[in-house]
Amino acid sequence: MEEDCCATQLIYGDGKFNAGGLDRFVKEVKLAECGISYGVVAIVGPQSSGKSALQNHLFTTQFANSRRSQTTNGIWIAKCVGIEPCTIAMDLEGADGRERGQDDTFKVQSTLFALAVSDIVLINIKGYSFFADGMLEKKLTWQEAYLKWSISEREIPLLETFFQVVMSFGIPRKTTLLFVIHDNAKPPFQHWHPGLRKFILNLLFSTALEKIWNEVPKPQAHKSTRFSDLFSEEVVVMSSYEEKEKFKEEVAQLRQRLSPGMLFAGYRRGLVPASGFSFSAQQIWKVIKENKDLDLPAHKVMVATVRCEEIANQIFNQLTYDTGWLALKEAVQTGPVQGFGQRLSSILSTYISKYDTEAIYFDSGAWYSKRQLLESKALDFVYPAHTTMLGHVRSKALEDFKVRLEQSLNEGRGFASYVRICTHSSMLEFDKGCADAALQQANWDASRVREKLQRDVDAHASYICSAKLLELIFNYEKQLSISLTGPVKSLLVTGGKDTWASIRKLLNHETEVAISKFSTVVADFELDKATIAKMLQHLRDYSRYVVEKKTREEATKIMIHMKDRFSTVLNYDSDTTLRVWTGKEDITSITKDARSASMKFLSVMAAIRLDEKPDNIEKVLFSSLMDGAVIVSSSQDREIGASVDPLASSNWEEVSAKNTLITPVQCQSLWRQFKVETENSVTQAISSHVMAATGRCEGIANQKFSQLIFDEDWLALEEAVQIGPVQGFGKRLSSILSNYLSKYDTEATIYFDEGARNSKRQLLESKALDFVYPAYTTMLGHVRSKALKDFKVRLEQSLNKGRGFATYVCICTHSSMLEFDKGCADAAVIQANWDASRVREKLQRDIDAHASSVCSAKLSELNVNYEQQLSASLTGPVKTLLESGGKDTWASIRKLLNRETEVAISEFSTVVADFELDEATIAEMLQHLRDYSRNVVEKKAREEARKIMIHMKDRFSTVFNYDSDSTLRVWTGKEDITSITKDARSASMKLLSVMAAIRLDEKPDHIEKVLFSSLMDGDVTVSSSQDREIGASVDPLASSNWEEVSSKNTLITPVQCQSLWRQFIAEIENSVTQAISAHVMAATARFEEIAIQKFSQLILDEDWLALEEAVQIGPVQGFGKRLSSILSTYLSKYDTEATIYFDEGARNSKRQLLESKALDFVYPAYTTMLGHVHSKALVDFKVRLEQSLNKGEGFTLSVRTCTQSSILEFDKGCADVAIQQANWDASRVREKLQRDIDAHESSICSAKLLELNFNYERQLSASLTGPVEALLETGGKDTWGSIRKLLNRETEVAISKFSIAISDFELDKETIAKMLQHLRDYSRNVVEKVAREEATKIMIHMKDRFFRVFNCDSDSMPRVWTEKEDIRSITKDARSAALNLLSIMAAIRLDEKSDNIEKVLFSSLMDETVTVSSSQDRRIGASAYLLASSTWEEVSSKDILITPVQCKSLWGEFKTETESSVTEAILAQEAYKQSNNWLPPPWAIMVMVVHGFNQFMLLLK
């Protein structure tokens, strides 16, 4: 199948670009796939020179051709069939066509377009034979003839156009000009040899082209450009078309030359890739059409940028939907992907390569820029997947670490060592995973993820370590609990003599066993000693806690154990045989033994005794609670035994509160409860024979006791005593008790024997007393509270008077105790011998506690005062001594400490004597003051040690920068800086040695010698053997403590001293360097000082400040001269002061710096002044232009005159502003002024033209709207003819006036033509707008026209419907008038085109067919469906106002709305007839008879 050339018109004759056609052409020939392997060949030449025919033969195209007239209109393109690579042929309109007249715009534009897009331009030259006779007539030689006519006069303008276009606008690549000469076989060279003919023609054409090139006017940029720099030329001679065979042979030879050698032999760097050809061609033509000044090479960059961006976006979109990427992305969301980095790098490389393949031939800058953007965008797009992959790698490494660690621990390996191994393995695995995930295109840093993994590994290791240690501790705690709980319980229940000794032995044994095993196991964790010590201590504490816990549990069951022990001893003999009460037993002795055993058990359980401290609990309990006193041996025991009530307390002596299980008070209460609960057993044994009598007496006693409980006097007394103390309480209560005891005696005397009676009476009396005892204790509480309150008040009053503390405490205590004794006597009950000693003792204790509290408060206040005094007297001096760092610093501090401490202690001893404290307490308080003063010194030493670097640098600075007289050193070069530096460092080292440790104990040390021997350049002499050993040490500072100094007294360790010294040397190095080079800087510093001084004076100079202030307000005359004078003054002053003293190099350097600084300082004022000059010139331009325009002068002339004046004024102002010392360029401000002037001129021009245009539009609107409305409403036969006539007349009048008005603006013809065309279009739009508005009112106009014709006669008189009027005929005429109006309104007819709208409407809508003459008219009239369309024949859609369908609908609506008027007319006529004949016509009578009156009226309607 023969290949199609796809000939397409690229640019129409009117200059319109066929973008759609070009896109179709590109698709059909598959141009976009060619890259840069394509070429464009254009042909130009005179009209009818055979251009199209030549291309058709040469490239197998199908361009139309003709011998006599213009065939090619605009520019055509086609594919060259059979030529590879792809070649596009371009056929241009003839260069000298008469159709365009003198207008050569399109010729220039098309020529420039051909040069811009073509690789080769064929210049077709035909007809050497037509001037052969002329040569013979003029008798020219052949050489003269060829030189004269080798390029004829027809081609010279075309070539001149070529050359001017190239030089004016620039073509981005070198173009080949191929001259094709026809008719070469005719005279004058028909007999020449072909080789000679080719040589001569090439030579002649080259000479002729050079001549034309040299004669063409050239812009400045191309003055020295040669023809060969921009073009390469070749000449081809061909036979005439008439010699077909020879012509075809020569065409084949030329085709062979063009394919592909000549196409790709030229300079192709500016070539646009095939994918951008369509866009490039459109943009080039747009630039050529719209711009006067062109820059086609810049257009190449623009095209490259747009296309590269499109390619990059396309590639990126392909990447986002790439199946490989999507699969990789989905896979990485699920888990780690092997070879992720390589796979992703491959995907990215593929798409980057695709981009390179498609865009590599575009401009390199645009290609590379968009490539980087694509790569960056692609990397940003895939970065989340990379981070996800890193997350998987991190998670896997962490999980593997956990698994390895767990497996290792399960195998029983050492924890710490395997943590290190597993950590190392996991980090290596992570690094390997990161390397696998890395992308070739990116250098992303995974260090943060690695750090996160390290933190997670450390956290997990720490967590596992803690968990394992907790598990280990829990196991050993459980083991201790098991090994202690049972044995301790057994020992406690047994309650033997050595119970607590056995428990302590058991506790120590089990604890040490557990600790020994635990220490062995915990060693694998490689913990620090402090942590291990804490854990071991925890186990010791836990074992003790287990014992204490078990003891406390058993203590809660004390009553059960006591009763069990009592029951065992009472009911079983020594052989554990059950007792049988025969009367031979000593029940009293047995009861005492049983109670003693229970008491022994109570004493064992009363307190925890794990510390081997002796106590007297057993002795106190026996002496206080047993009926018979226990033997007391020592004096202390005798004192305890003699105590009135040692159990009236809440704690045991020599036992701490935390070790107390059962308090003395609780023991007493328990013993009472125990006795009560065991009394029954004893009683049963002793008195089982008297149980009956006892029961009766007990009944009476219980009855009386019940009566006592509810006695009104007792209840009132009880209620009163709850509120407060009751006067005569004892007397009233004794009376109530005596009453009920007397009643018991009266009733019991008759029936029972004396023994049982007395026993139950005593029981009743005891029970009654127990019952009222709480009220008695409450009363005693009131008495005690009042006595205590009085004591506090008296003591406070006494202390406020300043009396001795101990003395008045005794006085106040004695008074309060007397008051309490008096209250107790009043509360005493006759029947009871209740002892108030416990309450009295409680009062005494409370008084003592309050006195002790007040004493403690006073002593604390006194202690704080003396502590503050010591702190104030020691802090400052100690700080001063430490900062001075002298030889005997610590000796002076010790001396100061001892002196101030002894002074404070002496004063404190005198003051504290009033408190009459025991010597141990006073000694403890004095020791506290001594410790406090020492702590103050140590605290201050530690604070200053933290500032050691500051003190060392200060000491160094003092010694280094000041001489022995404390005078600041001036570095003149004579000083021995090395010696001074060494002295300063030695002083700092001395201070460091002083601060290294606290030396308050006068113990010698070698810190200073070690520091000097290790850190200073020269070793210090070491005398003793120990010193020599220190001096010989390789690195004595590689330790964390000092020899002979305890760790608590160490302030700065040796390692820290070494680190501090290195830091100190680094930080002072700059000071030493500065000192060494100080003498070099003296001159520079002096010059700089003078320069700064002059600059400071310049800043505050009154003339400068006045000038600066003036220029801020507005322009200043002579600004440059004044400012130059000010600057010269200060520069001269600098020269005067600096010339005398210093050398020229430094002086000139600082002078230049001063001048530069001064110019930078005044530059804002200079720019402000330029701004004023610019503003004044612009304002003057605006004012002059406005004045010129107001005078009526021409706009363009006024603009030129005013612009020239303003620019001259600006240049004059710039000269006045210029400064002698600076060569500042004002060209930018001048260019900005020119732009502002141009912008203002453009703005005024646009405003004036808009105003002018608006006025003429308004004039046209006013002159057309009313007349057009009137003509349309009239609806005559020639309505649209009249409207066209009106439109043309008013438009031409307006255009004539407008042309005259805009001539002053000197606009180009094209702009004027556009504006005039705009007015024509506007006037036409006005008419069309009015027509469309009136068309919307068509129904109103039709009904008005109908009623005007129907209701008025020809004389415009209202009709009277008599028998004479033909209503049918009148109706038809009225409807015809309305339909005529509808046909006029149906379409806009401004183009004088004929149409058949009226005929179609009348033939289709009127009842009677209009006469139709022509065959076409008959066809229209006969049609029944002409109005079933939405368009009118011969009328364009834009001119249609009312479609046929709408006309039909409107006509139906019109007939409906006018029918009633016709009916009314008929009825009126009939009424008129009836007025003459009242009977209706016969036919009406028949209808009414048959159908009725209503149906008749309906028919009439």
Side-chain angles (χ1 to χ4, degrees), residues 262-290:
M262 189 179 290
L263 282 172
F264 299 98
Y267 179 75
R268 300 179 59 79
R269 192 180 65 188
L271 182 65
V272 174
S275 61
F277 177 79
S278 176
F279 179 74
S280 174
Q282 292 182 58
Q283 294 302 313
I284 289 174
W285 183 249
K286 181 178 179 183
V287 170
I288 291 172
K289 286 285 289 179
E290 295 182 357

Side-chain angles (χ1 to χ4, degrees), residues 28 162 178 210 234 284 316 333 335 410 425 429 457 540 568 611 679 700 727 776 859 986 1022 1240 1261 1269 1366 1388 1499:
E28 288 174 3
F162 268 31
L178 181 59
E210 288 288 349
E234 286 196 33
I284 289 174
F316 180 76
Q333 296 299 326
N410 292 336
S425 301
E429 180 183 350
V457 166
R540 291 187 179 93
T568 300
D611 300 322
E679 189 69 33
I700 297 170
Q727 193 69 27
Y776 171 79
L859 288 174
S986 297
V1022 180
H1240 183 68
S1261 182
E1269 287 179 356
D1366 185 358
I1388 297 170
L1499 288 172

